[in-house]
Amino acid sequence: MSHMTGSSEVGTPTESSRAAAPPAPSDGNGTPAGGRATPRRVALFSADAWTPLLVPLFRSLWIASSIALIGTWAREAGGPWLMKLLAEGRHDQPILVARVLVASNLPICLFSILAGAMADLLDRRWLLIATQVWMTLVTITLALLTLANLISPWGLLGLTFLLGVGTAAAGPALQAVLPELVPTRDIGLAIGLNSVALNVARAVGPALFMSVVYFIPGRRGIGTSFFLTAFSFTAMIWVLLRWKRPAERAAVHGEQVWGALRSGLQYTIHSPANRAILLRVLLFIVPAVVMWAQVPIIATGQLHMGERGYAVLFAFLGVGAICGVFLMPDLQRRFKIDPVVNTCIALFALGLIAMSRTHRPWIADLLMMFLGVNWVIIPTNFNTATQTSVPAWVKGRAISMYLTVLFGSFALGGAIWGPVTVATSISTSLLIGGLVMASTLAIVWRFPLTLNEGLDLSPAFKGKAPGSAADVPAMADAPICVSVDYAIDSNRTGEFISTMRALRQQRRRIGAWDWRLEPVPAQATGGSGGIAYRERYCFSSPAEFARHPARMTQADLQLLERVRGFHVVETPPSERLAPHPRSAGRFDAEVLKQCAFDCIDRCLEECEIACERLSRDRKGANVKDRRR
């Protein structure tokens, strides 16, 4: 995939992870006081769709990134074809070709979480400049070795991996910086224009590669196309260097990279909405990669075409993706995300099955265009769901988790489909991929993409949040625990415990560990005639406790108010701080162990809920049968 794929195939985000709260009564960008902006949705064929290009900085970055994308997609077309030439005559040729996709996407899987933390903590402008320079130098090296006929299969894979490292570092920062470039209400339009640029590049880049190798055949032509790719990055570097961006600060002050990584992972584990999105990404991308990983083999082994036919397949895929971009605004206006995504997944599966049966190039070109339409719609909606399901403070890390699973699925699929093609045939691989994708539709109802729809994820506190570092009593830099006592009406115990389970997830999403709810004597809360419970949760340090109010959202405050509504004593429940008995080092080890157990616990809980629902459905069906 291109170095800009993760930054352009996106849906409508909320505010940036560093955007300040809008002042009342309006921020001047269409944001009402106390609420989030409503993005404008217009048809891409209308003049209004191009409004973001009136902003000089966005226009410059859009043009520069469009040039970089065209060069990148020329390299994306050239890399697998070069591997095909290097592996000519080898029985494992399909595996080596698929490994180019693995090498391109594996580093994004490995390093995107770190990149997300860096995007939330470092200056994004300089981070983007560094990544563009890095990819320029690596691409020049690849071009020189190719022209000198010194490149080997493993050398190509290694340099492709290094380019993937640059992609991983750039993706979250480039997505998170977009709200700084255009008014809030025009973010959706800006994202639509980015998608247009990406998908035009999908068609133009392979065409550029095809033109170069037409006039300069063989490896010399491929090497020349790599030089053009390296040159395409310079426009982006120039625009970023000229951008006079003010110094920025992290959304949550004082966080270090390790703490940011840990809190981002913890948020994802305890967010049902994010877990559902990531699972859906995995279930779609792995079977879909059979197409991406094997395009050269489809062109030569199934359709019996040369390098021109291979580039034409890529071009038709890009044309289809452009059509998908034009369809997106109307689909977003008419339908919700889940039915659109589910329908497109079904159509994509049918397209793969049809591709497995055709041997005519013109039919294959039309099918690639059909697949391209559905391809751009599905990941775009995955990204839309991700960005609208997380609060601002963790947006960069949530995007990085999405990119990790997205590109990790590419790497996993590439590793799977190469051996499958060697063991069977490319037609069989396409057929299996289509059938597997179709079978995943049986469980999508259990994991909708919009679990957080309707929740107010804006910051809970404007300005200085309570519990900041100045409010925390002087304590050693060691783990601390917080305890809160509740006096509950005995008739509402079940309802209270159910609500506290939701509070457990909320506490853990914003940094707490070792959460417990235990009954205590009623006298502990000053109540009489009721039942008392003590909530206990811990933080790795006083500083981490001081940060957690800044991570809370309006939806979190509403949940806390519901919990406090169970308290029957006039005096409201208050937090009490105490040192944790463990040392900091042992606590960190305990945190990691508990993180692993939390993952297992959440998986088992999801399975248990699914089994309960299946059991209820069967009982309901039996009752209907008996009535009949």
Side-chain angles (χ1 to χ4, degrees):
M1 304 302 294
S2 74
H3 84 285
M4 300 278 282
T5 299
S7 60
S8 299
E9 286 182 344
V10 297
T12 304
T14 54
E15 291 102 354
S16 164
S17 58
R18 303 182 196 190
S26 172
D27 67 355
N29 297 330
T31 305
R36 290 185 286 176
T38 301
R40 290 197 293 167
R41 288 182 175 178
V42 299
L44 285 177
F45 296 104
S46 68
D48 287 342
W50 306 92
T51 301
L53 293 180
L54 298 177
V55 180
L57 178 59
F58 176 80
R59 182 173 64 247
S60 298
L61 280 173
W62 186 80
I63 294 172
S65 64
S66 299
I67 295 171
L69 283 167
I70 292 172
T72 298
W73 275 100
R75 179 187 61 79
E76 289 285 345
W81 191 258
L82 176 59
M83 180 61 80
K84 179 185 173 298
L85 296 179
L86 294 174
E88 200 71 54
R90 295 178 55 162
H91 74 282
D92 60 345
Q93 185 188 59
I95 295 177
L96 290 173
V97 171
R99 282 177 180 170
V100 176
L101 188 70
V102 175
S104 179
N105 294 286
L106 183 60
I108 307 176
C109 170
L110 296 177
F111 305 126
S112 278
I113 297 178
L114 176 61
M118 293 168 62
D120 283 340
L121 300 178
L122 303 180
D123 188 295
R124 291 169 184 157
R125 170 175 166 266
W126 283 107
L127 182 59
L128 289 171
I129 291 172
T131 57
Q132 302 303 305
V133 171
W134 169 264
M135 288 188 284
T136 300
L137 296 176
V138 174
T139 308
I140 289 175
T141 303
L142 177 60
L144 291 173
L145 292 176
T146 302
L147 288 174
N149 210 20
L150 297 176
I151 195 71
S152 66
W154 287 105
L156 174 60
L157 293 176
L159 291 171
T160 303
F161 184 91
L162 294 179
L163 286 167
V165 172
T167 305
L174 196 55
Q175 289 195 50
V177 82
L178 182 61
E180 302 178 31
L181 306 178
V182 295
T184 307
R185 67 191 180 97
D186 289 337
I187 287 177
L189 302 180
I191 290 168
L193 291 174
N194 282 348
S195 293
V196 170
L198 171 67
N199 293 296
V200 167
R202 273 199 177 112
V204 175
L208 174 64
F209 167 74
M210 179 176 62
S211 301
V212 172
V213 298
Y214 178 80
F215 291 103
I216 310 175
R219 298 187 189 182
R220 291 196 307 131
I222 298 174
T224 302
S225 72
F226 290 158
F227 266 122
L228 294 177
T229 297
F231 180 74
S232 70
F233 295 133
T234 57
M236 193 75 173
I237 297 171
W238 174 252
V239 172
L240 289 169
L241 286 173
R242 289 174 59 85
W243 181 12
K244 303 302 181 183
R245 184 171 184 261
E248 62 180 338
R249 58 183 184 178
V252 180
H253 304 303
E255 272 195 294
Q256 302 300 316
V257 172
W258 165 244
L261 288 173
R262 189 173 65 186
S263 61
L265 179 62
Q266 188 172 345
Y267 184 93
T268 301
I269 290 173
H270 295 286
S271 172
N274 284 54
R275 293 199 309 269
I277 294 168
L278 297 180
L279 178 62
R280 294 289 300 279
V281 170
L282 178 71
L283 293 178
F284 169 72
I285 295 295
V286 171
V289 166
V290 66
M291 174 190 67
W292 286 104
Q294 299 292 306
V295 175
I297 308 303
I298 294 172
T300 58
Q302 181 172 328
L303 303 174
H304 308 292
M305 299 189 300
E307 56 193 25
R308 296 180 190 176
Y310 161 64
V312 168
L313 284 178
F314 253 118
F316 270 90
L317 183 66
V319 170
I322 295 171
C323 295
V325 170
F326 286 122
L327 287 173
M328 279 291 296
D330 198 46
L331 291 175
Q332 290 176 337
R333 195 163 46 243
R334 291 170 177 263
F335 308 103
K336 293 189 175 182
I337 285 180
D338 283 297
V340 170
V341 171
N342 296 342
T343 301
C344 289
I345 288 175
L347 294 175
F348 200 101
L350 291 175
L352 289 179
I353 294 171
M355 180 69 79
S356 71
R357 311 313 301 167
T358 186
H359 296 279
R360 296 180 181 274
W362 68 272
I363 296 178
D365 291 338
L366 293 178
L367 286 173
M368 290 296 277
M369 186 167 66
F370 175 76
L371 291 170
V373 171
N374 292 283
W375 170 258
V376 74
I377 292 173
I378 297 169
T380 297
N381 279 288
F382 285 156
N383 207 310
T384 299
T386 299
Q387 296 226 27
T388 56
S389 295
V390 295
W393 71 270
V394 76
K395 187 177 294 295
R397 280 158 281 186
I399 293 170
S400 70
M401 290 295 295
Y402 165 76
L403 294 177
T404 296
V405 175
L406 176 70
F407 289 100
S409 301
F410 270 103
L412 177 61
I416 290 173
W417 295 115
V420 170
T421 302
V422 170
T424 56
S425 66
I426 183 59
S427 298
T428 304
S429 291
L430 290 168
L431 178 61
I432 295 173
L435 294 175
V436 169
M437 183 178 295
S439 68
T440 64
L441 292 171
I443 64 170
V444 296
W445 63 271
R446 179 65 188 86
F447 302 99
L449 300 171
T450 52
L451 284 175
N452 277 358
E453 189 175 36
L455 295 183
D456 186 353
L457 301 179
S458 59
F461 305 102
K462 309 299 182 185
K464 180 176 177 290
S468 62
D471 299 328
V472 179
M475 301 180 71
D477 188 17
I480 62 172
C481 291
V482 184
S483 59
V484 186
D485 291 340
Y486 303 92
I488 306 301
D489 185 342
S490 58
N491 295 323
R492 304 183 68 191
T493 302
E495 186 183 355
F496 171 74
I497 291 177
S498 177
T499 307
M500 292 301 289
R501 288 173 181 161
L503 184 63
R504 176 189 66 178
Q505 284 195 339
Q506 182 262 322
R507 299 281 199 202
R508 291 189 170 183
R509 279 198 300 270
I510 60 176
W513 294 90
D514 196 21
W515 187 96
R516 299 179 186 181
L517 182 67
E518 300 170 338
V520 295
Q523 293 80 359
T525 61
S528 60
I531 299 177
Y533 282 91
R534 175 168 295 162
E535 179 194 15
R536 178 178 173 273
Y537 53 99
C538 304
F539 291 90
S540 58
S541 67
E544 189 70 8
F545 169 75
R547 294 183 190 112
H548 89 273
R551 297 170 175 169
M552 294 179 65
T553 65
Q554 291 292 337
D556 294 334
L557 281 186
Q558 293 170 11
L559 177 60
L560 284 174
E561 288 302 318
R562 279 174 31 213
V563 170
R564 288 168 182 164
F566 290 98
H567 191 61
V568 296
V569 180
E570 291 184 2
T571 305
S574 59
E575 297 178 340
R576 297 188 303 277
L577 303 182
H580 195 280
R582 297 191 184 96
S583 66
R586 289 187 59 191
F587 188 81
D588 281 342
E590 189 71 20
V591 161
L592 291 176
K593 182 174 72 174
Q594 190 167 354
C595 179
F597 282 119
D598 282 341
C599 290
I600 298 173
D601 178 62
R602 296 309 305 165
C603 291
L604 293 176
E605 186 174 333
E606 296 287 356
C607 292
E608 182 180 352
I609 294 173
C611 290
E612 289 178 357
R613 290 189 178 182
L614 182 60
S615 177
R616 286 198 301 268
D617 292 343
R618 287 180 177 176
K619 290 180 180 178
N622 291 336
V623 170
K624 290 181 180 179
D625 290 340
R626 286 196 296 269
R627 288 177 179 174
R628 291 174 184 173

